[in-house]
């Protein structure tokens, strides 16, 4: 990241050095003004050195202005760039993100890690200025008095060693705090997602207790981290102040023994006072670098992940509508019509993943292997919709129309047709602004059945060549389910549709039904003909009883 933004970073370091050098030289110029102007009673020299001080002040102020502007870029631009990398990586990983990265990690990367990376570069440039300022002052002090210069050269490394040790402790505790924050965030996300289930089984208090325990552990970790941070802050303030007192005391002794002049004494006091600035800059740069290291490690781990799926060729013509075939289960989905699949829940997810190419398999579409087709083209033509697909925040119209097309005319007719097919018109019409109503993330204001109908409307509106639905009517009543089954069959006429279900109402609408047992097709036919098969009848009746 530093290499990508090196021109701005170099300029920032340069102006930090100019600013630090200007501040470091100011005590020397004031000392000369005292010696040659005040002590010698030379008004011309006093005016000349006064103008020099003014010039240094103006140069330092201009450098400070440049530093502020450049530091903003150094802090913000890498953060935004890192966010672009992370967002692009999350999109390329696809479903791998859910399996490899926790929600807590993603939240922490987006909320704090990106800012810490920018701050590391920002305070790193300040640290460079601090080093230049310290070296400048050390040289000036050694030239004026080797005793005081030697004191500074011994004390400053000792201060840096102490603060670096404390920064290491802080880094360790920050890493532990991050781990606890991630775990608690994951727990909170799980509770929010499963709140309805928890209420149904009476597990709210149990999970609330677990969350309180985790919150207390996080609190303890945060207090330990705060103690380490406080100790580092105290060291950064107290140790330079102690050095200041030592420098002033030694310089005063040298003045009394006439080894230093009054002007040099004034200059040394200024040096000692100024030394607190570069020391703080260097120690703060070290402590920020420790935090940035932890943040960069988290981002790097995310960027190092590789998707479970090969992307396939970048370009290439997609085949026209054809048979979607899974050689593992021997399931064949014709190019048109409604195909229902009756199987165990675990088999449904595995089979849908293969048909939609969410895992590597030998599945073919129109005679061509899905693995040999561009992944973007497969996603455009084959859509898999699960029962818990996420509903995003924003206007409902944009949520139900994935392409985010302009409202009006034929599009509205198409959208309302999808809404009617999903039996969701009553939901939309009950909203204050109908399709223009903004909904919350996850569709929290809707019941489980309402969310399911809206998900189905969104899938129907997308109108892919192959639509794969997993239990699309599991959370609705029988009357609504009948309307949804009829709507799916009506709106998807001429298109391939696969429905994993045990609903009799959906099975009656299917053009063909496949019974999958132990991962392979055991029987095919119409719902009526398959009811004579005891294995099929057992699965259907069990699913009906569960509803």
């Amino acid at each position: 990241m530093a290499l990508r933004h090196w021109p701005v970073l170099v300029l920032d370091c340069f102006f930090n050095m100019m600013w630090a050098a200007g501040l470091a030289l100011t005590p020397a110029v004031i000392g000369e003004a005292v010696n040659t102007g005040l002590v010698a009673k030379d008004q011309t020299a006093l005016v000349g050195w006064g103008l020099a001080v003014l010039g240094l002040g103006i140069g330092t102020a201009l450098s400070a202005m440049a530093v502020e502007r450049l530091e903003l870029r150094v802090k913000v631009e890498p953060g935004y760039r890192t966010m672009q990398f992370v967002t692009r990586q999350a999109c390329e990983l696809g479903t791998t993100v859910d399996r490899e990265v926790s929600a807590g990690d993603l939240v922490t990367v987006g909320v704090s890690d990106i800012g810490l990376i920018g701050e590391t570069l920002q305070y790193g440039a300040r640290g460079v200025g601090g080093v230049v300022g310290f070296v400048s002052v050390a040289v000036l002090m050694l030239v004026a008095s080797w005793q005081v210069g030697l004191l500074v050269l011994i004390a400053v490394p000792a201060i840096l060693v102490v603060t670096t040790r404390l920064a290491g402790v802080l880094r360790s505790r920050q890493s532990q705090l991050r781990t606890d924050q991630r775990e608690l965030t994951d727990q909170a996300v799980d509770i929010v997602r499963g709140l309805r289930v928890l209420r149904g089984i009476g597990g709210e208090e149990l999970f609330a207790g677990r969350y309180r325990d985790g919150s207390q552990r996080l609190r303890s970790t945060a207090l330990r981290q705060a103690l380490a941070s406080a100790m580092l802050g105290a060291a950064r303030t107290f140790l330079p102040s102690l050095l200041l007192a030592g420098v002033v005391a030694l310089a005063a002794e040298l003045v009394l023994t006439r080894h230093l002049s009054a002007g040099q004494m004034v200059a040394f006091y200024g040096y000692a006072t100024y030394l607190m600035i570069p020391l703080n800059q260097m120690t703060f740069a070290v402590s920020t670098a420790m935090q940035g290291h932890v943040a960069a490690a988290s981002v790097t781990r995310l960027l190092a992940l590789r998707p479970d799926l090969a992307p396939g060729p970048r370009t290439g013509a997609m085949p026209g509508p054809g048979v979607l075939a899974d050689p593992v289960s021997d399931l064949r989905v014709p190019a048109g019509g409604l195909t229902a699949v009756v199987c165990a829940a675990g088999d449904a997810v595995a089979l849908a993943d293969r048909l939609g190419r969410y895992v590597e398999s030998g599945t073919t579409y129109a005679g061509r292997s899905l693995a040999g087709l561009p992944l973007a083209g497969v996603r455009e033509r084959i859509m898999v919709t699960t029962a818990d697909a996420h509903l995003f925040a924003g206007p409902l119209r944009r949520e139900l129309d994935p392409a985010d097309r302009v409202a009006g005319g034929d599009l509205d007719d198409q959208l309302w047709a999808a809404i009617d097919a999903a039996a969701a018109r009553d939901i939309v019409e009950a909203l204050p602004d109908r399709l223009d109503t903004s909904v919350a993330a996850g569709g929290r204001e809707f019941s489980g059945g309402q969310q399911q109908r809206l998900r189905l409307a969104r899938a129907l509106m997308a109108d892919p060549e192959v639509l794969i639905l997993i239990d699309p009517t599991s959370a609705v009543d029988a009357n609504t389910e009948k309307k949804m089954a009829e709507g799916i069959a009506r709106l998807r006429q001429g298109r391939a549709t696969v429905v994993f279900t045990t609903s009799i109402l959906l099975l009656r609408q299917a053009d063909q039904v496949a019974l999958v047992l132990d991962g392979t097709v055991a029987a095919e036919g119409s719902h009526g003909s398959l009811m004579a098969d005891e294995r099929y009848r057992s699965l259907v009746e069990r699913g009906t009883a569960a509803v």
Side-chain angles (χ1 to χ4, degrees):
M1 192 58 67
L3 290 176
R4 181 176 290 273
H5 295 86
W6 71 266
V8 178
L9 193 58
V10 168
L11 279 176
D12 191 16
C13 290
F14 172 76
F15 281 108
N16 263 294
M17 290 188 290
M18 294 294 292
W19 174 76
L23 289 178
L25 290 173
T26 300
V29 175
I30 293 174
E32 287 300 318
V34 171
N35 281 336
T36 61
L38 292 177
V39 176
K41 298 182 180 180
D42 185 340
Q43 187 174 3
T44 302
L46 183 61
V47 171
W49 286 111
L51 290 175
V53 173
L54 177 62
L56 281 174
I58 293 173
T60 302
L62 292 175
S63 298
M65 291 173 59
V67 165
E68 289 295 328
R69 291 180 62 86
L70 291 168
E71 278 188 350
L72 182 62
R73 292 185 60 186
V74 167
K75 179 180 179 180
V76 173
E77 289 180 3
Y80 278 115
R81 189 64 177 171
T82 304
M83 177 59 84
Q84 289 177 335
F85 287 146
V86 170
T87 303
R88 186 181 300 118
Q89 174 73 347
C91 293
E92 290 179 355
L93 288 174
T95 56
T96 306
V97 172
D98 292 334
R99 290 189 287 270
E100 300 291 339
V101 185
S102 69
D105 269 341
L106 285 177
V107 170
T108 304
V109 167
V111 171
S112 62
D113 288 347
I114 288 172
L116 284 173
I117 290 171
E119 287 179 4
T120 300
L121 297 179
Q122 174 191 4
Y123 291 112
R126 290 189 185 184
V128 172
V131 171
V132 170
F134 165 71
V135 171
S136 302
V137 168
V139 170
L140 291 172
M141 295 176 82
L142 280 172
V143 170
S145 170
W146 68 267
Q147 297 98 325
V148 180
L150 187 61
L151 171 64
V152 172
L153 289 178
I154 293 174
V156 168
I159 292 174
L160 287 176
V161 168
V162 173
T163 53
T164 302
R165 286 288 187 89
L166 292 174
V169 175
L170 177 62
R171 174 188 171 186
S172 174
R173 295 187 180 180
Q174 284 172 334
S175 180
Q176 182 60 45
L177 179 65
R178 174 191 168 82
T179 300
D180 291 349
Q181 285 176 328
R182 182 188 67 240
E183 292 176 353
L184 194 64
T185 302
D186 288 343
Q187 191 174 353
V189 170
D190 288 341
I191 290 173
V192 171
R193 286 178 175 173
L195 188 58
R196 285 191 177 92
V197 176
L198 290 177
R199 286 174 175 169
I201 64 175
E204 292 173 272
E205 288 302 320
L206 175 62
F207 276 80
R210 291 178 182 175
Y211 186 84
R212 281 194 295 269
D213 292 341
S215 179
Q216 289 304 310
R217 285 195 299 272
L218 177 62
R219 176 177 174 273
S220 299
T221 304
L223 289 175
R224 289 195 296 272
Q225 185 262 349
L227 177 61
S229 180
M231 291 176 64
L232 178 60
R236 287 171 46 203
T237 302
F238 173 71
L239 294 179
S241 300
L242 188 62
L243 175 60
L244 170 62
V247 168
V248 171
L250 181 56
E253 179 67 23
L254 292 173
V255 170
L256 293 176
T257 58
R258 300 186 181 280
H259 288 91
L260 284 180
S261 65
Q264 288 175 317
M265 171 65 185
V266 171
F268 270 97
Y269 179 80
Y271 294 147
T273 304
Y274 165 71
L275 274 176
M276 296 182 65
I277 297 175
L279 282 176
N280 280 329
Q281 285 179 320
M282 288 187 287
T283 55
F284 201 78
V286 170
S287 63
T288 306
M290 297 291 184
Q291 299 176 48
H293 182 271
V294 176
S298 299
V299 174
T300 302
R301 280 195 298 271
L302 177 60
L303 296 180
L305 293 175
R306 291 294 174 263
D308 296 335
L309 294 174
R314 292 286 181 183
T315 58
M318 290 291 295
V323 174
L324 181 64
D326 172 42
V328 176
S329 63
D330 292 329
L331 177 67
R332 294 176 60 83
V333 179
L338 176 59
T339 301
V341 179
V342 176
C343 60
D347 288 340
V349 174
L351 185 49
D353 283 346
R354 293 198 298 271
L355 293 174
R357 205 193 164 217
Y358 287 99
V359 294
E360 296 291 2
S361 69
T363 302
T364 60
Y365 181 56
R368 294 180 59 183
S369 171
L370 290 183
L373 299 175
L375 187 58
V378 173
R379 294 285 179 264
E380 182 181 345
R381 286 164 174 75
I382 303 174
M383 173 183 284
V384 178
T385 299
T386 62
D388 58 351
H390 189 73
L391 293 173
F392 295 92
L396 184 60
R397 181 189 301 276
R398 189 175 63 193
E399 173 64 17
L400 298 183
D401 178 19
D404 197 17
R405 292 162 285 192
V406 180
D410 294 338
L411 176 63
D412 265 4
D413 294 339
Q414 183 181 349
L415 181 54
W416 279 109
I419 291 170
D420 286 335
R425 179 178 283 267
D426 61 315
I427 303 172
V428 177
E429 291 183 341
L431 297 174
D433 296 318
R434 296 175 45 134
L435 288 171
D436 296 319
T437 302
S438 289
V439 299
R444 294 191 302 272
E445 61 266 70
F446 302 115
S447 67
Q450 290 175 326
Q451 290 181 20
Q452 196 167 56
R453 286 186 275 167
L454 292 174
R455 292 188 194 104
L456 177 59
R458 179 176 61 185
L460 294 172
M461 185 62 187
D463 196 27
E465 287 181 4
V466 181
L467 177 60
I468 301 171
L469 304 170
I470 302 178
D471 279 332
T473 62
S474 59
V476 299
D477 59 77
N479 183 51
T480 304
E481 184 176 21
K482 182 175 183 296
K483 294 178 181 177
M484 294 170 71
E486 293 172 349
I488 294 171
R490 180 178 66 253
L491 202 63
R492 292 291 299 173
Q493 262 188 338
R495 297 282 212 177
T497 307
V498 183
V499 181
F500 291 89
T501 184
T502 55
S503 164
I504 292 177
L505 295 173
L506 271 170
L507 294 171
R508 286 174 178 168
Q509 294 291 333
D511 298 304
Q512 71 168 17
V513 181
L515 172 64
V516 176
L517 297 174
D518 298 325
T520 59
V521 175
E524 290 182 288
S526 67
H527 168 64
S529 64
L530 287 176
M531 282 299 286
D533 189 320
E534 184 179 346
R535 300 168 299 174
Y536 176 83
R537 189 169 60 252
S538 174
L539 280 173
V540 172
E541 290 175 350
R542 190 186 312 157
T544 304
V547 175

